[in-house]
Amino acid sequence: MLISVHDLETVVRAAGAIALAHFNDLKNLAVNKKSPRDFVTDADVAVEAFLKAELTQKYPEYGFWGEESGQSADQSARWVVDPIDGTHSFSRGQYFWSISVALEIDQELIIGAVFAPALGDYYTAVKGKGAWKNGSPISVSSESHLADAMVATGFACLRSYLPDNNLDRFARIAQSTTGQRRFGSAAMDLCLVADGQVDAFWEQELNLYDVAAGALIAQEAGATVTDFQGNKGIFPKQILVTNGKILDQILPLM
Ligand code: IPD
Ligand code: CA
Ligand code: CA
């Protein structure tokens, strides 16, 4: 069945209302740890259960892959969902968290939505058609000097077990740029590049559900998505997203 951005928006906004109800009642939120630095709350589980039920009932031809419930049905054409990206921020009452939903068919991203309910920002994109924030078209920044750039990164929750923990890379890039941010939601980080609010974002050890929707939104807004060597494509274990103009300057620092 053909999916319109509007049909998807209705479902994602309803999921946002479920998340917000929990966000506005944090003292009753059950927060558990999946591993020492990886959180899951009642809200993550409830939002994913809603999205899975709605999307698989409305679009039975597509399978589902969500962070909390795993993979079910056909995985060649599937919804890729992070019910709350930025759970740690969410659980502390901070506003930077989002719901991320993408449709992927034969390894190609077709449509993506990232909704930040506490900020009131809804980002979406359709392959080959562009990217929008709250209904208006968006595009990447025009910054062409790395020295003047504002960049964002994240530190995967598994970092302490990794030989490369991103700290050296962050130090190198911080010394070569004007502004550095750590927002705490990779899906949102990608949308901020798409919207020209930051000029580049990178992170390691992410999963496809963290970046699928945001990467399509970034690409459709004119961003270049590569790995740390500059190979084009979406590589969640090593993702670098830039406005394209500073790519050659940031790559040697990666
Ligand atoms: C996390 C966020 C965060 C990133 C972590 C992710 P979660 O996702 O995207 O910004 O630094 O690596 O795991 O666990 O809140 O869905
Ligand atoms: Ca995530
Ligand atoms: Ca999550």
Side-chain angles (χ1 to χ4, degrees):
M1 188 197 296
L2 218 57
I3 288 156
S4 78
V5 275
H6 302 292
D7 290 345
L8 184 59
E9 183 164 346
T10 303
V11 175
V12 174
R13 282 191 181 275
I18 295 171
L20 262 188
H22 286 277
F23 188 68
N24 291 328
D25 186 25
L26 281 184
K27 60 183 184 316
N28 289 314
L29 185 74
V31 182
N32 294 299
K33 282 186 176 177
K34 294 193 266 190
S35 61
R37 287 172 176 154
D38 199 3
F39 299 90
V40 59
T41 73
D42 290 351
D44 298 72
V45 175
V47 170
E48 182 159 324
F50 172 81
L51 285 170
K52 184 173 179 179
E54 282 291 299
L55 293 171
T56 55
Q57 186 248 320
K58 279 200 165 79
Y59 309 104
E61 64 272 46
Y62 303 130
F64 188 89
W65 179 21
E67 178 178 6
E68 310 304 341
S69 63
Q71 301 184 341
S72 50
D74 180 17
Q75 292 295 303
S76 65
R78 62 186 178 183
W79 295 104
V80 182
V81 168
D82 190 337
I84 297 183
D85 185 58
T87 298
H88 199 190
S89 303
F90 177 99
S91 72
R92 302 296 303 266
Q94 300 169 9
Y95 284 19
F96 261 88
W97 51 272
S98 59
I99 293 170
S100 175
V101 179
L103 177 65
E104 184 202 56
I105 299 177
D106 295 333
Q107 298 186 351
E108 203 185 350
L109 295 165
I110 305 298
I111 187 166
V114 173
F115 181 33
L119 298 170
D121 285 337
Y122 189 97
Y123 294 88
T124 193
V126 179
K127 176 93 193 160
K129 297 260 173 4
W132 299 268
K133 175 188 177 186
N134 301 329
S136 300
I138 52 173
S139 58
V140 294
S141 71
S142 58
E143 182 57 64
S144 59
H145 298 109
L146 187 63
D148 296 325
M150 162 90 81
V151 300
T153 190
F155 299 87
C157 57
L158 297 171
R159 63 191 175 281
S160 54
Y161 311 111
L162 295 170
D164 175 356
N165 61 14
N166 200 32
L167 291 175
D168 291 347
R169 186 176 299 107
F170 179 70
R172 284 194 298 275
I173 295 173
Q175 284 168 330
S176 305
T177 52
T178 294
Q180 306 80 30
R181 299 290 185 271
R182 199 297 193 227
F183 292 106
S185 164
M188 283 298 291
D189 288 311
L190 291 160
C191 292
L192 297 182
V193 177
D195 195 29
Q197 296 182 41
V198 297
D199 307 307
F201 163 71
W202 77 91
E203 190 164 345
Q204 312 158 250
E205 298 305 318
L206 292 172
N207 290 291
L208 187 61
Y209 47 73
D210 298 301
V211 298
L216 180 64
I217 291 165
Q219 284 174 329
E220 287 297 322
T224 306
V225 183
T226 67
D227 64 11
F228 292 178
Q229 286 75 48
N231 299 303
K232 286 207 174 135
I234 297 164
F235 304 97
K237 297 293 161 201
Q238 223 187 52
I239 188 166
L240 169 64
V241 185
T242 73
N243 65 3
K245 293 132 199 139
I246 58 167
L247 177 63
D248 291 346
Q249 296 160 66
I250 204 170
L251 271 177
L253 302 173
M254 298 306 294

